[in-house]
Amino acid sequence: MTEITGFNMLLSILLPTIAAPICYFGGRKFGRVGNGIFATFILVISTGLLLASWNRVSSGEKVIESYGVWVGLFKLNVAFLHDNLSFPISILISGIAMLAAVYSIAYMTHEHDQEMYFAALLLFTAGMVGVVLASNLILFYLFWEMMLVPSYFLIAYWGTGRPRIIGFKYFMFTHAGAASLLAGILLTYAYTATFDLLGLPNLLSSISPGMLRIIMVLMSIGFAVKLAIFPVHTWLPDAHAEAPTPISVLLSGVMIKTGAYAIVRMSITLFPSESVKVSYGLSVLAVITMLWGGFMALAQTDIKRLLAYSSVSQVGYILFGLMSLNSLGVGGGLFHIVNHGVAKGLLFMCAGAIIYSTGIRDINKLGGLASKMPLTAVATLCGALSIAGTPPFGGFASEWMIFAGGFASGNTVLSSLAIAATMVTVAYYLRMIKKVFFGVCPESLSDVKEAPSSMLLPMAILTFLTVIFGIFAFAPLQILYPAGEAVTRLIVRG
Amino acid sequence: MFPYSEYAPWLVWLIPLAGSVLVPLVALVNTRLRDWFAVVTSFVGAAYSLSMIPQVLDLHGGVADLKVPWIPQIGLQVGVLIDSLSVFMSIVASCIGSLIMLYSIGYMAHEEGLTRYYFFMLFFIGGMNGLVMADNFLQLFIFWEIVGLCSYALIGFWYRKESAARAGIKAFIVTKAGDVLLLIGVLILFIQTGSFNFLNTKDAVEAGKLATSILMTSSILVFGGAIGKSAQFPLQVWLPDAMEGPTTVSALIHAATMVKAGVYLTARTFFIFSSIHEWLMIVIYIGSVTALMTATMALVSVDIKRVLAYSTISQLGLMITALGVGSEAGWFASQFHVMSHALFKALLFLCAGSVMHAVGTTDMREMGGLRRHMPITFATSVVGVLALSGVPPFNGFWSKDLIVAAVLHERLYLPLILIFLTSLCTAAYSFRWLALVFFGKQPNSGKGAHPHESPLVMTVPLMILAAAATISGFFEEPFSEYLGLKHGVGIQMAPLTLSLLALLLGFIPSYMVYFSGSMSPIFFRRGPLESIHKLLSQGYYFDRIYYAIFLDSFPRLCICIYNQIENRIIDRINYAVAGAAQFLSQSFRPTHTGNLNYNISAVLIGLAGFFILIMVIVGW
Amino acid sequence: MIPINYYLATAIILYAVGMYCLAAKRNMIKLIIAIEILTSAANLNMISISSHAKPGAVDPLGHVFVVMSIVIGACVVAVALTIALYAYKHYGTLDVRELRRLRW
Amino acid sequence: MFTWPINLLVIFAITTPLVYTLGVKASIKKLVDVWAVIGFILSAISFYPLYLKVSSEKVLIHYWVGIQFRGVALFEIDMLSIFMAGLFIFIGLLTAIYSTRYMEHDTRHGEYYALLLLMVSGMVGVAFAGDFFTLFIFWEVMCLTSYVLVAFRKEQWEPIEAGFKYLVMSSAGSATMLFAMSILYGIVGSLNFAYMHKALSESVTPWSMISLALIVVGFGVKAAVTPFHTWLPDAHPAAPSSISAMLSGVVIKTGVYGLIRVMMLLFTPESYHWHTAIAILAVLSMTTGNLMALLQSDLKRLLAFSSIGHIGYIIFGLSIATVYGLTGSLFHVLNHALGKALLFLCSGAFLLAAGTRDLNQLAGIGRKMKITGFTFIVGSLALAGVPPLNGFQSEFMLVLAGLQVGASRNLWYLFSALMLINILFSVGYYLRIIQVVTLHEPSESVSRVKEAPKPMLFSMVLIAILCILIGIYPGPFVNLANQAAQSVLSVESFVKLIIH
């Protein structure tokens, strides 16, 4: 139990954590660029360390690294877990964070206190990676909140608009969700006397079904808030729209996905019989979420707010996929986590590039930028179409699986509605692209230039990935699909 | 014969797709090289598509299904299906596509953004080839969407023009509506049969694995995709607007590729669904209603390309009608018409492009008398018009005759009447088109004052297509053999009579109004016919209604919901909770009076309360 | 010998009087006296109990305790009076209800 | 005499005025400050062997009068005493270090440090006490010194008003406790805890019930349990910030200690069934504290109200009365002491730099005093129960214990839920102060402030690091709290040392 079996995962979390104060205190010496490069470097190493378990994970192994006792009283050990589920998502998180760090170097030029910014960014990443790797519920919760704190400061300190109110709202919403999650976790312990994620499934069968449902619902509320499911989504458009753009990339791209990850890891894995009972209700909620997010996106004129509402809509798809509770749907939902992470990260970066170059966020005041910023235009188009589920981009590869999963679970009408909701997605994205890139370029924007290349590079990489994940979908699915299968194997419909 | 021709089914779509990706790279070297690189790539693709003919003939009407694994986890494969239908469509797409590419070199010479143009054109051709070669629904859907995406980009090629940008979006969204239905249908079939593969699906359906109602629903949903892509009623609205793109794009979309995809899909699924009576009924009525409706719209349009666009929809309607007949003869007729139409409509579009190139306008009222200035274009246009209106011996005559015969044979009288009227209208509007553009006097408007014949790079494709349109009608029998059909073909009296009658009835008023001038066109716009004229020129108000719902009301509704519900209610609740907490706190604060006497009283009350509480709990 | 119950009753009454004083009286000096009364109630209790512990004998423990308590009580009163003095300097009154700048 | 930690504190307390005079004479200004710090350090050092001894022997008996006198005048030191006393000395040490610069502009340093040392010795004595006689003496030492310390700046109106209210209420509480002791003495005939445990758990009478209620009020006033808390929001802000840190951080914990000791040892839950009543007091306290803190505009007053809320959490752990509940409770004593001391020290630093406690005028001060601002954030988040900081660790244990006990006493599901809601609610004002202090644009009144001096920073940064450390690696600290809780529950081993 207490034998130490490697340090890769621990280091991948510790490195950014330790680097954060170095960034902060060394900030004045390094300068903005130095800080950015340092943060990127750290995140590259951390990603590399995470990638180390590739071979073992892809052969279906569970890689567990344990480091000994943490709190003896509760038999809590510190251990991290890499399996088919956590591995790809942890890579996604640290990868996107790495790109966001690169992107920040130029984007934060005009901002203050950059050394604090990069420190917070590193902590934020460490928190997110930790959530995914955690192998017991308390560690999970610890990281769950650890990612909240730096992101709160990132929003409230460098945000636009009314950052403090928005940050406050973000914090309170997520924290309320977390409190519900905590109640669920503690009830679990009260009945099973363990927090260990791997050991729990066997013990939970001894709990009465009523209590089991209460625990499951409490936990799922926490995840739903993080995922921003209707009607607890209202923090998301504010927070994601007003955060500094690289942080929007992380928030929308990966942070909300930890909710989806947790739903798979806990709500479904630990409570298979209960999740069957709530799956229909949650599917309905998912469809409402996707439609609602889509409709709201259609009403937006602020480019980042539009993207934020699009995220609301997309988490609806992810949830819908997960709640189909069959391997196609869950696999698709997990794959959509990746695809949406990449594409929405890309779109926020594009929006950031536009704001950086023009200083305007209102799409009605933009226009004709396609010739001024051709690369951004192409990247935006790719990202938008990927999210809208258009082949050959990654979004389609996952969305069809989600829909097929929906049909397979018998929710024909809901699935049809979900497919129809892609129309809305297409509509608001095409509207946005038309208003920003097409039409006549206003006089005031006549000398707009493409963003600096350090911002374009991450965008190029993500654009490339949207295409790759579409055409070579088998590569990510090789790892993600077995995860979906493993989860759904637990489901016994009755 | 050809290097790697055994891989032709893959190469026909991989070569254009790969070529398209290379276009931006080649453009970095030299723009001239880029243009020719694109053209050569498309011709190589066409050559590979032609090289599949022997393979098909070897199959003797059978099917070859080649697969490689794609997503092994789900058991998905990428496959190509080689049979007469797919190869035929691929040939149509790539040959006509490559001619259009050649034509583009001249036509688009002076445009900006040609890298984008050639990229999407090649991607389009590749996508279309991939679509027809696909052996399963999912792959078909992927290419289906790629084609839609390309059409969006190409229609909106002149993105600075508001109308073009709008038209691109419209095309994409309207066809997407069909795609949604298609995807629903496909996924239902997938879930029910466990496979996307056409052949497996067919086997499953034949084995009766699917409940009738599910099969019916999914078949109709799949046809919904065809409705969107082939611009059938009620989703016909996008196609006329798609004329905002360059003429070459219109030719590519209308003649060779995208709109045929719907017909192809219907033809491809014909063997799976043809046993379902309801499906056939829907197909035939949608086809014939669309055919007549859009033909009447073509009668009044004054835009040189819009007439052709309406005509395209109408002809597609005929093809769909033929498929809806449900017999092998009908299926053959529709395919034959696909070929005829591809040839003559490409020809007509390119002629129109040539004309526009010369006069610089698209309004037919500003044209006239061009036959003297542009002899080649005129001659080829005449061939095109004759083929379109179905004058023997041009190819349109033969294929339409087959359709009429098929419908008549199955005694479907209502569709027969509809297509009879369609033919009538076709003759009328096609001659009107010819007359307005090439006959009469040239008006003295400024722009088109000195029209001239187009360069050779544009006229050569015209001539090739004209020649093909003239002679291809005689290849009915080889074509039938090629498709592996057994039924005998020949001219029957009844359909022949009907076709010729319709032609005559359509030609007479057109002649009277536009050639001889014995009737004034004013007659149709005034008096009792005024309202009908208006109805037709407004496209039966479909556009108006759709715009009113989806462009005006719907976004406004969204904004309204956003302002009223999202912001006023849901978001307000958050602030209400915060406010309630503050209020609670505020109203609680006066309990802390700061008065020492009260504080001591509170201690006493606490003492008493606690004492009573434990006494009660202990039970004294 | 007076039965212990009388002492106990007196002690309780003293306690009640002290508490009443604290809750009702406004004068600071009276409040300080009230605290003394409260302490006296406890002291009385202690003394009477220690005298009745064994018939005829007195438990020294109670006495020790009471002596200690009286000493401490004196200290408290001293401190209290000092503070009251300063309060009078700042507020110009001995009315404790005027000392309510600190509230809410 | 009183064991070395207390002896040293008392000796240094007595000698401080002399040293002060010496320092003034020799014009070595800092002499007395250094002297007091040395006193705390020596006390802490001498505390260590005591800790080792107790952790091996579990319970230690020490007669401080030198002779055995009917179980009176003795220290009975178990892990709980060690846990609390260690905390008292530690926070006292940090406060003393902090005071060396914070009290620079005040006079009467000799008096100040003597009182501080004496107050800590009183608290340690309370924690060590094995009978009511000892407890009462040290209790009053602590109370008296704290009255004077609150009213230390007698030239201002606020400390005087607060001091008087504090004095009246606290001595009323002490008198109530004394009254309860006299009744208990009548019932048992002794003042020793062990004898009392034996007598009280054998028979439950109305008299013992009355004395239970009286003693809860007595300790409750000190611990500031609602509705006995009304002195606290006045006294804590009015005192010098270093003393506020002591008062809010540890002095009120002596009340908690008294409650835990008396409730678990004398009025055993098995006989007196006070769980629900205490839980109701707990919920009342946390709700009142958090509600009142929400809208305060005075930073220190806000923190004072938040202390009441946290006392509610701690008492909630007592109401559970299982080993988990008490562990959580004691662990929260530690965490709240650290967090609240840190926050008061920070607010003192702000007060020193900007001259105001008004939140609106302090806006953005954290941007100017970055290190203080950072420690302030850490402290606030720790108390808000945000992981990975220490406050979370204990709060989750408390809720967990509540939920565990809920299976047998269903009401505790409700109480736990209320506690969770309270924690959530409290995040609102912690976040508010963080926002105001560190995120707002610096206001005019703080435009020229400078970072706090090094000794003050030392205390704050040390506590902040501890907050993070305990949050990340709570294992050893939980073990300490757990040992303390175990020793509270192992009543028999405590008793059998006196009654063989």
Side-chain angles (χ1 to χ4, degrees), chain D residues 129-373:
Chain D
D131 65 317
F132 271 126
F133 182 66
T134 318
L135 189 128
F136 182 73
I137 290 168
F138 283 100
W139 183 265
E140 287 295 338
V141 168
M142 176 190 82
C143 283
L144 273 168
T145 47
S146 67
Y147 302 152
V148 181
L149 280 171
V150 166
F152 188 72
R153 287 170 175 164
K154 56 183 192 287
E155 60 283 359
Q156 295 165 4
W157 63 267
E158 192 188 356
I160 294 301
E161 174 175 341
F164 189 74
K165 287 180 180 173
Y166 176 33
L167 183 140
V168 170
M169 287 195 70
S170 185
S171 1
S174 301
T176 306
M177 199 163 71
L178 194 66
F179 197 73
M181 285 176 196
S182 67
I183 295 173
L184 288 175
Y185 172 65
I187 297 171
V188 181
S190 168
L191 284 167
N192 186 282
F193 288 158
Y195 289 109
M196 286 198 171
H197 163 76
K198 201 153 171 287
L200 289 175
S201 57
E202 274 166 11
S203 66
V204 181
T205 60
W207 282 113
S208 64
M209 278 299 195
I210 289 170
S211 55
L212 167 62
L214 288 171
I215 217 153
V216 164
V217 173
F219 285 120
V221 169
K222 194 80 218 173
V225 178
T226 307
F228 320 122
H229 66 283
T230 36
W231 61 271
L232 187 145
D234 296 341
H236 288 195
S241 292
S242 47
I243 300 304
S244 312
M246 279 306 283
L247 290 176
S248 248
V250 287
V251 173
I252 55 174
K253 306 293 159 44
T254 53
V256 173
Y257 166 80
L259 277 178
I260 292 177
R261 181 62 91 202
V262 166
M263 303 295 264
M264 298 304 296
L265 187 62
L266 272 49
F267 304 98
T268 48
E270 296 82 20
S271 321
Y272 288 83
H273 307 288
W274 38 257
H275 307 94
T276 317
I278 293 286
I280 286 169
L281 284 185
V283 171
L284 265 180
S285 297
M286 50 180 107
T287 313
T288 312
N290 292 330
L291 261 182
M292 292 296 299
L294 192 66
L295 290 181
Q296 295 301 329
S297 60
D298 177 340
L299 179 57
K300 285 178 73 179
R301 201 171 168 80
L302 185 150
L303 295 176
F305 272 116
S306 119
S307 288
I308 299 172
H310 281 275
I311 287 296
Y313 303 152
I314 294 167
I315 299 294
F316 177 71
L318 171 63
S319 83
I320 296 162
T322 60
V323 69
Y324 281 89
L326 287 170
T327 305
S329 206
L330 292 170
F331 195 31
H332 200 63
V333 164
L334 169 66
N335 292 333
H336 176 243
L338 290 176
K340 195 44 69 62
L342 174 54
L343 285 186
F344 269 116
L345 295 184
C346 286
S347 67
F350 295 148
L351 183 59
L352 193 67
T356 176
R357 308 189 325 229
D358 189 59
L359 267 177
N360 299 323
Q361 291 180 33
L362 284 177
I365 194 168
R367 286 190 173 192
K368 295 277 177 183
M369 304 169 68
K370 289 215 163 166
I371 300 176
T372 315

Side-chain angles (χ1 to χ4, degrees), chain A residues 79-103:
Chain A
F80 291 128
L81 166 70
H82 247 168
D83 63 359
N84 282 329
L85 184 55
S86 59
F87 174 73
I89 297 176
S90 65
I91 296 292
L92 176 78
I93 290 168
S94 64
I96 300 246
M98 186 173 84
L99 295 179
V102 175
Y103 184 88

Side-chain angles (χ1 to χ4, degrees), chain C residues 8 11-12 15 19 22 28-29 31-32 35 38-39 41-43 45-46 49-50 53 59-65 68-69 72 75-76 79-80 83-84 86-88 90-91 96 98-104, chain D residues 69-70 72 132-133 136-137 140 144 147-148 151 154-165 167-168 171-172 175-176 178-179 181-183 185-187 189-191 207 214 234 238 292 296 301 305 357:
Chain C
L8 290 185
I12 288 171
Y15 185 81
M19 274 300 180
L22 282 175
M28 288 189 200
I29 307 297
L31 294 183
I32 294 164
I35 290 168
L38 282 179
T39 320
N43 289 346
N45 225 354
M46 204 67 125
I49 288 166
S50 66
D59 184 5
L61 185 57
H63 288 235
V64 172
F65 199 90
M68 211 68 191
S69 166
I72 288 170
C75 295
V76 170
V79 173
I83 295 179
Y86 280 107
Y88 185 74
H90 286 294
Y91 290 84
V96 78
E98 296 300 313
L99 266 69
R100 49 181 306 189
R101 283 204 239 175
L102 292 171
R103 56 175 175 170
W104 298 344
Chain D
F69 177 55
R70 292 186 45 202
V72 176
F132 271 126
F133 182 66
F136 182 73
I137 290 168
E140 287 295 338
L144 273 168
Y147 302 152
V148 181
K154 56 183 192 287
E155 60 283 359
Q156 295 165 4
W157 63 267
E158 192 188 356
I160 294 301
E161 174 175 341
F164 189 74
K165 287 180 180 173
L167 183 140
V168 170
S171 1
T176 306
L178 194 66
F179 197 73
M181 285 176 196
S182 67
I183 295 173
Y185 172 65
I187 297 171
S190 168
L191 284 167
W207 282 113
L214 288 171
D234 296 341
M292 292 296 299
Q296 295 301 329
R301 201 171 168 80
F305 272 116
R357 308 189 325 229

